[in-house]
Amino acid sequence: MLLVFLADRPATPHELQQRHAGTFGPQRAVGINRVVAALSRQEKLGHVRLLNGATRRAPRVCTLTDSGRERQHAWILDVPGRLTPAEVLDRVLLTMAATDRATFEEVIARCLAVLEPQRRRRTTRAMVSAPHALAEYEDAVTSTLCTWLRDLSGRTRDRDAA
């Protein structure tokens, strides 16, 4: 996720932490130590370069390398064949907050391409069992996700208006 935020623009670890909280909400906020550790791992993999600040006390600024830019672009567009609702939410919120319009629309299209075939229109039975109820629930969630994605497509995002 940090690579996607960095593809948008260079940032300090604190700025990345704030962008994550602003995108995913305070209940999913991550600590600064986790951000720094993730950036350190990405630097070792060659995806991120940490630049010194303008002064000795200024925080380090993180930027993507060419390898990191390729990695984040491939990840955001490589939608797996099975998606959980949480994965759909993460991908869509992330592309809404930190990618260009074309990438946002492509991610929505790819999520829909995976989710649509998973929808099963089950008939309601008078008697129900736990497995049947769970399957109906999963179908309802998938159907709702598809509706939500179609509704998002084409709408102006706050970053489009800026």
Side-chain angles (χ1 to χ4, degrees):
M1 290 182 184
L2 296 178
L3 294 180
V4 177
F5 285 133
L6 286 173
D8 194 28
R9 64 181 177 269
T12 66
H14 178 71
E15 290 167 339
L16 289 168
Q17 179 192 33
Q18 295 303 308
R19 289 188 73 193
H20 185 280
T23 301
F24 297 106
Q27 68 279 6
R28 292 187 51 201
V30 295
I32 191 69
N33 290 338
R34 189 169 170 196
V35 172
V36 170
L39 288 169
S40 179
R41 281 191 307 276
Q42 293 301 318
E43 183 181 33
K44 287 176 185 167
L45 292 170
H47 299 316
V48 171
R49 186 173 34 254
L50 298 175
L51 309 171
N52 290 328
T55 67
R56 215 170 106 208
R57 293 184 178 249
R60 296 181 83 185
V61 174
C62 310
T63 188
L64 280 186
T65 62
D66 289 340
S67 167
R69 191 167 304 286
E70 290 172 16
R71 172 72 180 112
Q72 72 80 26
H73 191 71
W75 177 83
I76 202 72
L77 292 176
D78 185 21
V79 176
R82 292 293 292 173
L83 282 171
T84 66
E87 290 169 330
V88 172
L89 180 62
D90 286 353
R91 230 171 251 279
V92 170
L93 291 178
L94 193 56
T95 58
M96 188 179 296
T99 67
D100 59 49
R101 182 80 207 180
T103 302
F104 173 67
E105 293 293 342
E106 183 65 23
V107 166
I108 287 177
R110 289 181 184 210
C111 286
L112 280 168
V114 168
L115 291 171
E116 287 285 357
Q118 295 175 12
R119 294 172 63 190
R120 297 176 201 78
R121 307 220 189 267
R122 288 188 168 79
T123 57
T124 306
R125 301 176 184 181
M127 191 164 66
V128 69
S129 66
H132 289 107
L134 180 58
E136 289 175 4
Y137 169 79
E138 289 170 352
D139 290 344
V141 169
T142 300
S143 180
T144 301
L145 273 174
C146 289
T147 300
W148 177 66
L149 289 169
R150 283 191 297 275
D151 288 349
L152 287 177
S153 183
R155 288 174 52 192
T156 303
R157 306 172 301 164
D158 58 350
R159 66 180 284 122
D160 296 334

